[in-house]
């Protein structure tokens, strides 16, 4: 077979929803999964738990999807996964694997599709683009799908903003977080979110924390998911006491995201949450502007 026999892909973790932007907006972070795909005689995995070493792994599913889209039989590969993005924590772990697979297949197949085209190919596996778009493109991304194509807008982020994420020692599967959402919401709640979503990009671009604190309010999903995240109330109260007003669930949770302009905030919060029983991991993040890249 002509062409490369191996490729390494690095993909950022992401925070979707960002409060008012349910299923619409997400941001890529300097938190990475790195996967190496090598053409082989059989599908094999290294670097992940035994439960994920099979054809249901998203890293293989998206790889195979692109080949099938091209009308080709996907070749067996050995996939080595080095994951920094925690699983089932609301930081886009599955989207990172999906993005890696389609990027790797694009190289090994010689397809040379654009990232926008790859996004269209892989979207059916995820169902909504709010994590996939920033994982592939990088940055703060608004997106919508008409069922055939994904349309995106990458929004600037003011350099004064500081981001802190924290996650507990328990997982929250996305399926469980979606199961608690209502089938319909009051009209006034929909308008409440729409008004905030309209100004959210402006708040991020201008570094306007007062506006951002208003825009990161929500009536569509967070109140329903809060009971699934033990310790969230305590974390939010501690973050507020340290000066944070822009606060939300990352993705479906249980990770929580704080936005401030205080470079020392992460260290302060890490010390404050230390006595809490959920063993929170606290990490400073910076936005990743590149998205998925071939190394």
């Amino acid at each position: 077979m002509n062409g490369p026999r191996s490729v390494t892909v690095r993909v950022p973790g992401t925070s979707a929803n960002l409060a008012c932007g349910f299923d619409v907006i997400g941001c890529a972070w300097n938190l990475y999964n790195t996967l190496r795909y090598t053409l082989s005689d059989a599908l094999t995995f290294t670097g992940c738990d035994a439960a994920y070493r099979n054809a249901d792994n998203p890293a293989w599913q998206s790889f195979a999807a692109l080949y099938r889209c091209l009308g080709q039989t996907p070749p067996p590969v050995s996939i080595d996964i080095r994951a920094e993005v925690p699983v089932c924590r609301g930081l886009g772990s599955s989207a990172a694997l999906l993005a890696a697979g389609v990027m790797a297949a694009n190289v090994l197949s010689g397809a040379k599709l654009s990232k926008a085209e790859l996004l269209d190919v892989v979207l059916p596996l995820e169902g909504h683009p709010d994590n996939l778009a920033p994982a592939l493109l990088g940055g703060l991304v608004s997106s919508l799908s008409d069922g055939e194509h994904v349309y995106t807008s990458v929004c600037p982020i003011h350099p004064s903003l500081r981001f802190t994420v924290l996650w507990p020692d328990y997982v929250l599967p996305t399926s469980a977080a979606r199961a608690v959402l209502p089938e319909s919401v009051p009209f006034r709640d929909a308008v409440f979110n729409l008004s905030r979503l309209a100004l959210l990009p402006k708040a991020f671009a201008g570094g306007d924390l007062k506006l951002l604190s208003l825009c990161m309010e929500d009536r569509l999903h967070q109140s329903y998911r809060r009971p699934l995240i033990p310790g969230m109330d305590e974390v939010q109260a501690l973050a507020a006491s340290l000066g944070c007003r822009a606060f939300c669930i990352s993705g479906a949770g249980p990770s929580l995201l704080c936005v401030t302009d205080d470079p020392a905030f992460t260290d302060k919060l890490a010390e404050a949450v230390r006595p809490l029983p959920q063993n929170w991991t606290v990490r400073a993040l910076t936005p990743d502007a590149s998205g998925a890249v071939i190394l």
Side-chain angles (χ1 to χ4, degrees):
M1 179 181 294
N2 296 326
R5 296 191 57 81
S6 182
V7 62
T8 300
V9 190
R10 189 188 71 183
V11 187
T14 51
S15 290
N17 300 329
L18 299 182
C20 66
F22 179 70
D23 277 2
V24 172
I25 194 165
C27 189
W29 305 117
N30 64 331
L31 185 70
Y32 301 104
N33 283 357
T34 303
L35 289 82
R36 184 168 184 83
Y37 289 73
T38 303
L39 295 174
S40 182
D41 295 327
L43 175 63
T44 60
F45 294 86
T46 54
C48 63
D49 292 343
Y52 303 113
R53 297 176 187 175
N54 54 63
D56 292 330
N57 192 304
W60 164 254
Q61 288 286 313
S62 60
F63 181 87
L66 180 57
Y67 274 91
R68 294 185 181 117
C69 182
L70 298 171
Q72 302 177 25
T73 299
V77 284
S78 173
I79 306 175
D80 180 63
I81 303 174
R82 302 301 172 192
E84 188 181 10
V85 182
V87 176
C88 291
R89 295 305 205 286
L91 286 166
S93 60
S94 64
L97 297 178
L98 289 170
V102 78
M103 287 281 289
N106 196 39
V107 172
L108 294 180
S109 70
K112 298 182 180 179
L113 299 181
S114 68
K115 284 185 176 182
E117 292 170 315
L118 296 179
L119 186 53
D120 288 339
V121 170
V122 77
L123 179 65
L125 297 176
E126 180 80 344
H128 40 86
D130 52 334
N131 278 126
L132 277 173
L136 277 168
L137 303 177
L140 179 70
V141 187
S142 301
S143 54
L144 70 86
S145 171
D146 64 1
E148 183 178 357
H149 298 294
V150 180
Y151 301 87
T152 60
S153 175
V154 179
C155 313
I157 300 174
H158 198 276
S160 67
L161 296 179
R162 299 290 185 270
F163 301 91
T164 301
V165 71
L166 62 166
W167 61 84
D169 58 4
Y170 58 85
V171 300
L172 176 55
T174 300
S175 57
R178 284 199 171 262
V180 300
L181 300 181
E183 294 185 3
S184 61
V185 296
F187 187 84
R188 64 181 178 275
D189 289 349
V191 173
F192 181 95
N193 270 52
L194 284 171
S195 64
R196 281 151 179 78
L197 181 58
L199 291 178
L200 186 63
K202 178 182 179 180
F204 272 109
D208 187 336
L209 279 170
K210 181 177 180 180
L211 180 59
L212 196 59
S213 69
L214 293 173
C215 290
M216 290 178 71
E217 296 175 338
D218 158 73
R219 292 183 181 175
L220 296 187
H221 67 106
Q222 293 193 120
S223 62
Y224 304 101
R225 290 170 165 173
R226 184 179 289 269
L228 302 179
I229 307 177
M232 178 175 171
D233 291 345
E234 291 84 354
V235 168
Q236 187 168 7
L238 288 170
S241 73
L242 296 172
C244 175
R245 296 295 179 266
F247 178 95
C248 68
I249 298 172
S250 174
S255 291
L256 304 172
L257 181 67
C258 305
V259 190
T260 72
D261 59 1
D262 179 4
F265 178 82
T266 301
D267 290 339
K268 294 176 185 177
L269 185 62
E271 183 63 29
V273 302
R274 196 182 308 278
L276 298 182
Q278 293 82 17
N279 298 314
W280 294 88
T281 297
V282 184
R283 176 161 176 168
L285 296 177
T286 57
D288 171 276
S290 300
V293 296
I294 303 298
L295 299 180

